[in-house]
């Protein structure tokens, strides 16, 4: 789980670099400046949300490590708010491909967080078949990794648009 948290931090750093790269690309003309300002504003919003999301996911990971289902739900709800914010950002047309990666990533992360909560709820209720634990956990972690990968792909696309 700590490895996943590190990936979120890496995403946030990549976003900061991408924001700087986009900000450094000066174009002539008012239309180019307006587009550049919109791109910068978008990437700045994404960066802020990703920083907050990283904090929420750290708290979620902590709750998972303690097997605290109630706190897992609370932290997941906090993360969902950030995922919703990311999905709701007004996207400049030139960055729509980046937002598509973020939308895919947020969907996968939401599935993974729900999966963790469901798994640990079943375990804590005593109705869980322990022989299925590793398979279920691997499936959930795969969704989480897919979500992080989609977010990273968005970051890489942003960085390449410098």
């Amino acid at each position: 789980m700590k490895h996943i948290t590190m990936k979120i931090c890496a995403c946030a750093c990549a976003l900061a670099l991408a924001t700087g790269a986009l900000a450094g690309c000066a174009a002539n003309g008012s239309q180019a400046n307006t587009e550049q300002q919109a791109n910068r504003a978008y990437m700045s919003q994404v960066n802020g949300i990703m920083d907050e999301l990283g904090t929420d996911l750290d708290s979620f990971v902590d709750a998972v490590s303690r097997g605290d289902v109630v706190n897992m739900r609370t932290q997941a709800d906090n993360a969902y708010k950030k995922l919703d914010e990311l999905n709701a950002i007004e996207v400049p047309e030139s960055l729509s491909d980046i937002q598509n990666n973020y939308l895919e990533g947020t969907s996968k992360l939401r599935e993974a967080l729900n999966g963790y909560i469901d798994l640990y709820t079943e375990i804590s209720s005593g109705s869980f078949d322990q022989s299925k634990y590793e398979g279920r956990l691997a499936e959930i972690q795969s969704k989480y990794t897919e979500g992080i990968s989609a977010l990273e792909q968005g970051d890489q696309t942003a960085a390449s648009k410098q």
Side-chain angles (χ1 to χ4, degrees):
M1 294 304 265
K2 282 290 188 194
H3 180 66
I4 294 168
T5 302
M6 295 295 288
K7 284 186 176 184
I8 290 293
C9 290
C11 286
C13 290
L15 280 171
L17 289 174
T19 302
L22 286 174
C25 297
N28 292 331
S30 64
Q31 183 177 8
N33 286 336
T34 301
E35 184 177 324
Q36 181 185 26
Q37 288 173 344
N39 290 352
R40 257 186 282 157
Y42 169 78
M43 292 308 298
S44 178
Q45 286 178 299
V46 168
N47 189 38
I49 292 168
M50 292 299 283
D51 285 343
E52 293 171 4
L53 178 62
T55 300
D56 293 337
L57 291 175
D58 286 344
S59 297
F60 182 84
V61 168
D62 182 56
V64 170
S65 70
R66 291 181 283 114
D68 182 351
V69 177
V70 172
N71 202 22
M72 286 170 64
R73 171 52 66 192
T74 300
Q75 298 310 321
D77 287 343
N78 292 339
Y80 297 154
K81 289 175 188 173
K82 298 301 176 250
L83 296 174
D84 290 342
E85 286 179 34
L86 186 60
N87 290 343
I89 295 175
E90 185 176 330
V91 183
E93 187 176 322
S94 64
L95 301 178
S96 62
D97 53 338
I98 294 168
Q99 183 68 6
N100 289 337
N101 289 121
Y102 293 145
L103 291 174
E104 179 184 345
T106 60
S107 174
K108 300 284 184 181
L109 282 176
R110 187 179 301 273
E111 288 178 48
L113 295 176
N114 283 329
Y116 280 117
I117 292 167
D118 292 345
L119 175 63
Y120 282 91
T121 299
E122 289 177 39
I123 290 170
S124 68
S125 73
S127 64
F128 185 71
D129 180 356
Q130 289 294 330
S131 67
K132 296 181 181 180
Y133 176 78
E134 286 186 31
R136 287 267 308 272
L137 187 60
E139 181 181 316
I140 294 166
Q141 287 175 332
S142 176
K143 285 283 186 209
Y144 196 96
T145 301
E146 289 172 18
I148 297 299
S149 294
L151 294 175
E152 288 174 342
Q153 181 60 44
D155 294 344
Q156 291 169 0
T157 303
S160 71
K161 289 192 179 224
Q162 353 176 9

